[in-house]
Amino acid sequence: MDIQSKLKELSEKVDSMKEQIQTEEATKTAFVLPFINLLGYDIFNPTEVVPEFTADVGLKKGEKVDYAIFQNGIPILIIECKHWVESLDTHSSQLIRYFHVSKSRFALLTNGVEYRFYTDLEEKNKMDDKPFLEFTITNLKDSIINEISKFHKSNFDVTKILNNASSLKYTKEIKKVFNSELIKPSTEFTRFFASKVYSGRLTERVMEQFGELVHKAINQLISDKVNDRLQSALHKETEQQIEENIDEVEISKIDTTEEELDGFKIVVAILRRKIEHERIFFRDTQSYFGILLDNNNRKPLCRLHLDGGKKYLGLIGENKKETKVLIETIDDIYTHEEALLQAIDYYE
């Protein structure tokens, strides 16, 4: 089972069981340990996952972090856990102390539902105040799953995670700021746009008016962009439906003859000297009887034109250009076996 499937399974478990989890210890057992396990670490191996890891700070002895994950004898991730009903906002300072004395470059604060990953982007060996990766396990997006997978035992690479952590952290913070401006534009945000379009003096009254205008304009712009995307998607879906309907109409007009099927059998008999007969397909159209490699329209092998007064075999050249040759009967196909076999080489 891949990590995406395991996360989905854990997500469903958390969602269905959390109301029954009454303590911090139960949270660890039911939610946090399974998360560590799906990252590929053996929770029963004390050289890999250490519970109650000692993290003494200065004169304070006996300080312990809930778990430390080790790799090659070095801690790579320390984890502090809380009861799932607790908010994590007031507990990061505790983890900061543990981070400072450990050799780990990463720390995780979790209540089994919310997960916050930290590192030391701003000052080495001092945990940042804000996490670079944050998610709720019951509401995972593919982009987040991709980031979680980087902590898997088989993928773990400190340098790669750190290189990406900065981008993740500041992108997340920018999105938060922008979302806040969408709800209520700040003076600086309003002034930026007002100065671009208004040539007069930006008085308090003017700024108040522009605050409303900026809020309205940006939200309308986003709405228009979303509608454009929806219309584009609907247009493509409509075009696809029309094409399918046209194909159905064309198919209903096609009458595959016994002669065409006999011709197909002759072509198969020739081509199977080079390829398995299961790879040879036909598609009958109103214009010709096409014979294809791997049922792919972009891999034509030859075409039979048998519905008119004269019969033709369409041979396919290297540039996929068709050359029609006159045949008296379908048995004449055998005389062109070299050209037919050559067509396979264009795709193999």
Side-chain angles (χ1 to χ4, degrees):
M1 189 185 294
D2 61 18
I3 191 168
Q4 185 169 8
S5 302
K6 290 178 180 178
L7 282 167
K8 184 175 183 296
E9 191 177 275
L10 180 58
S11 170
E12 291 170 352
K13 177 184 178 183
V14 170
D15 199 36
S16 63
M17 288 182 58
K18 62 184 181 181
E19 298 298 334
Q20 303 167 48
I21 303 299
Q22 302 298 319
T23 65
E24 183 179 302
E25 286 303 314
T27 299
K28 294 177 189 177
T29 303
F31 300 157
V32 181
L33 285 175
F35 179 79
I36 296 172
N37 189 59
L38 68 80
L39 290 179
Y41 301 100
D42 185 355
I43 59 176
F44 301 109
N45 182 348
T47 65
E48 204 164 90
V49 179
V50 180
E52 295 296 303
F53 177 64
T54 301
D56 290 340
V57 183
L59 298 175
K60 295 188 76 172
K61 302 298 180 182
E63 292 277 277
K64 297 182 186 296
V65 65
D66 289 309
Y67 300 103
I69 295 177
F70 276 69
Q71 200 171 76
N72 301 321
I74 299 171
I76 59 171
L77 177 65
I78 59 171
I79 305 171
E80 181 66 15
C81 308
K82 299 300 170 187
H83 185 208
W84 76 269
V85 297
E86 283 192 56
S87 168
L88 299 179
D89 294 341
T90 59
H91 295 290
S92 61
S93 58
Q94 182 182 8
L95 193 57
I96 287 173
R97 298 201 310 272
Y98 299 153
F99 184 90
H100 180 68
V101 296
S102 77
K103 294 180 181 179
S104 174
R105 295 298 302 276
F106 303 104
L108 168 60
L109 179 62
T110 181
N111 58 12
V113 179
E114 292 179 62
Y115 286 75
R116 299 179 184 179
F117 284 83
Y118 298 83
T119 188
D120 54 353
L121 294 172
E122 296 178 10
E123 187 177 336
K124 192 171 177 61
N125 203 32
K126 181 181 178 184
M127 192 182 92
D128 298 336
D129 291 332
K130 296 179 180 178
F132 68 89
L133 177 62
E134 189 174 359
F135 60 86
T136 301
I137 201 155
T138 52
N139 184 28
L140 288 174
K141 295 180 173 62
D142 288 343
S143 58
I144 293 295
I145 293 173
N146 183 52
E147 297 304 326
I148 296 171
S149 68
K150 291 174 183 174
F151 281 90
H152 193 277
K153 182 180 178 180
S154 61
N155 301 327
F156 189 83
D157 184 310
V158 173
T159 304
K160 287 182 179 178
I161 298 174
L162 284 173
N163 288 342
N164 194 45
S166 179
S167 174
L168 280 174
K169 177 180 177 179
Y170 295 117
T171 298
K172 176 170 66 72
E173 292 303 314
I174 290 169
K175 285 164 70 176
K176 281 184 179 179
V177 171
F178 189 66
N179 187 58
S180 175
E181 296 289 359
L182 289 179
I183 297 169
K184 187 177 181 181
S186 66
T187 302
E188 295 84 354
F189 193 74
T190 301
R191 188 181 299 279
F192 172 78
F193 288 100
S195 64
K196 297 287 184 182
V197 298
Y198 185 72
S199 58
R201 184 166 168 267
L202 295 175
T203 63
E204 186 177 340
R205 182 169 173 275
V206 171
M207 287 290 290
E208 188 176 328
Q209 291 175 334
F210 267 98
E212 295 176 6
L213 290 171
V214 168
H215 176 265
K216 183 178 179 181
I218 290 181
N219 280 278
Q220 280 184 356
L221 177 62
I222 292 173
S223 179
D224 290 344
K225 291 288 186 185
V226 171
N227 285 332
D228 287 346
R229 285 283 187 91
L230 289 172
Q231 289 301 321
S232 178
L234 288 171
H235 181 63
K236 286 181 180 177
E237 188 176 331
T238 302
E239 283 185 339
Q240 184 179 353
Q241 187 63 49
I242 290 170
E243 287 176 4
E244 289 174 357
N245 291 339
I246 290 171
D247 289 342
E248 288 175 7
V249 171
E250 287 182 348
I251 289 169
S252 68
K253 294 179 181 178
I254 294 168
D255 180 21
T256 303
T257 65
E258 287 295 326
E259 189 177 37
E260 287 171 330
L261 292 175
D262 288 341
F264 174 67
K265 291 173 185 175
I266 292 172
V267 173
V268 171
I270 294 169
L271 297 181
R272 67 182 303 176
R273 297 176 195 175
K274 273 194 173 182
I275 56 174
E276 299 86 354
H277 71 276
E278 290 90 351
R279 297 183 64 193
I280 307 168
F281 293 80
F282 73 81
R283 290 191 192 176
D284 201 357
T285 71
Q286 288 182 280
S287 305
Y288 57 82
F289 183 93
I291 299 175
L292 312 169
L293 179 65
D294 298 330
N295 204 19
N296 188 335
N297 273 330
R298 290 176 292 184
K299 295 182 179 182
L301 294 170
C302 67
R303 291 168 181 163
L304 304 179
H305 302 267
L306 307 177
D307 292 337
K310 294 182 178 181
K311 297 177 176 31
Y312 294 92
L313 170 63
L315 297 172
I316 305 300
E318 190 168 5
N319 58 358
K320 297 185 184 179
K321 184 178 179 181
E322 181 187 12
T323 302
K324 290 183 182 179
V325 294
L326 186 67
I327 56 175
E328 293 295 325
T329 70
I330 58 172
D331 289 331
D332 291 342
I333 295 172
Y334 283 111
T335 64
H336 299 281
E337 63 178 55
E338 187 176 336
L340 290 169
L341 290 167
Q342 181 66 40
I344 295 172
D345 296 336
Y346 301 144
Y347 310 114
E348 294 291 275

